[in-house]
Amino acid sequence: GDSVTQMEGPVTLSEEAFLTINCTYTATGYPSLFWYVQYPGEGLQLLLKATKADDKGSNKGFEATYRKETTSFHLEKGSVQVSDSAVYFCALSDPVSSGSARQLTFGSGTQLTVLP
Amino acid sequence: ETGVTQTPRHLVMGMTNKKSLKCEQHLGHNAMYWYKQSAKKPLELMFVYSLEERVENNSVPSRFSPECPNSSHLFLHLHTLQPEDSALYLCASSQAAGGNNEQFFGPGTRLTVL
């Protein structure tokens, strides 16, 4: 079945540091890939997405590139801020395996704390 | 209202109570989902409704009963819950067919079972 593996947290960085959160996946078909962010006390918000190989999703200074050859979708940001402190979830949607259920398969989440 | 809304945002209930969680989406979607998020556990998909028909029920105990009266509304009826059911319950919506299944989430209901 489909699965998403994320880098274990928690991750603690100083403000303006470079961020990478690793995400790799296994899927039956050609999935769409997503990063969601969850701020304290809130639901999940879509951060960025990529729907085919070599696509780069970007938003709010975050980027991730869909790498089919390494089955990866690593999240990066060049300079993090305190306000980026949140839990980050990698997810995929595989139309081959999810069928009419249209499920997302989530990773376990990575807690990021940015210190001033 | 825009996006996906959930009420109530917080709920405290005893094990013998009956309560309902409500979700409403204003995005014109036709698929809706209930997820359970517990501390230190992965996000758990509970139920999926596509075109108002339940298409997924991930071995959820019968004390949780979903209802989808139309494509914009989704309920989760709660009865005789256990303390381990305390969690954040998230609702999401998406387009059932085509597209990339980008799901939009509500803010969640924080449920505490005493």
Side-chain angles (χ1 to χ4, degrees):
Chain A
D2 298 342
S3 66
V4 175
T5 303
Q6 269 183 253
M7 156 180 188
E8 289 282 333
V11 174
T12 302
L13 297 173
S14 297
E15 205 164 25
E16 298 183 5
F18 184 84
L19 169 71
T20 299
I21 300 178
N22 289 339
C23 171
T24 57
Y25 67 90
T26 57
T28 306
Y30 297 94
S32 296
L33 301 173
F34 307 88
W35 276 101
Y36 282 84
V37 58
Q38 185 176 32
Y39 298 103
E42 298 183 15
L44 277 68
Q45 300 174 29
L46 180 67
L47 181 60
L48 53 83
K49 65 183 179 185
T51 58
K52 60 183 188 296
D54 300 325
D55 270 0
K56 178 187 281 189
S58 60
N59 185 25
K60 299 181 181 178
F62 290 90
E63 292 182 340
T65 301
Y66 189 143
R67 301 282 188 205
K68 186 166 177 285
E69 63 276 13
T70 54
T71 61
S72 65
F73 192 55
H74 304 321
L75 182 68
E76 296 182 337
K77 186 174 186 182
S79 176
V80 293
Q81 305 301 312
V82 173
S83 57
D84 294 326
S85 297
V87 182
Y88 292 81
F89 293 90
C90 186
L92 71 82
S93 175
D94 184 350
V96 171
S97 58
S98 64
S100 62
R102 306 292 286 152
Q103 293 183 36
L104 281 178
T105 300
F106 283 90
S108 56
T110 302
Q111 171 74 57
L112 169 67
T113 301
V114 180
L115 302 175
Chain B
E1 291 276 16
T2 58
V4 181
T5 58
Q6 289 186 245
T7 54
R9 292 293 309 275
H10 300 272
L11 178 62
V12 179
M13 60 187 288
M15 290 192 285
T16 57
N17 291 157
K18 285 185 183 181
K19 296 286 185 184
S20 295
L21 310 185
K22 179 183 176 182
C23 175
E24 185 172 359
Q25 60 94 2
H26 309 267
L27 300 167
H29 291 159
N30 52 19
M32 298 186 78
Y33 310 77
W34 279 116
Y35 290 87
K36 177 183 178 182
Q37 187 177 35
S38 305
K40 306 208 186 293
K41 290 177 72 173
L43 206 61
E44 301 173 52
L45 178 65
M46 300 175 73
F47 300 104
V48 180
Y49 276 83
S50 178
L51 301 172
E52 299 165 37
E53 181 182 335
R54 191 190 310 179
V55 295
E56 190 74 18
N57 175 352
N58 279 348
S59 303
V60 178
S62 59
R63 57 186 184 268
F64 294 91
S65 173
E67 179 190 0
C68 187
N70 56 60
S71 60
S72 299
H73 294 86
L74 184 66
F75 295 89
L76 188 62
H77 303 300
L78 314 173
H79 175 53
T80 323
L81 293 192
Q82 305 298 312
E84 60 265 29
D85 297 323
S86 298
L88 181 68
Y89 288 85
L90 293 166
C91 174
S93 71
S94 73
Q95 277 303 112
N100 54 37
N101 195 31
E102 177 179 336
Q103 291 185 16
F104 292 78
F105 284 79
T109 294
R110 173 68 63 187
L111 173 67
T112 303
V113 182
L114 302 176

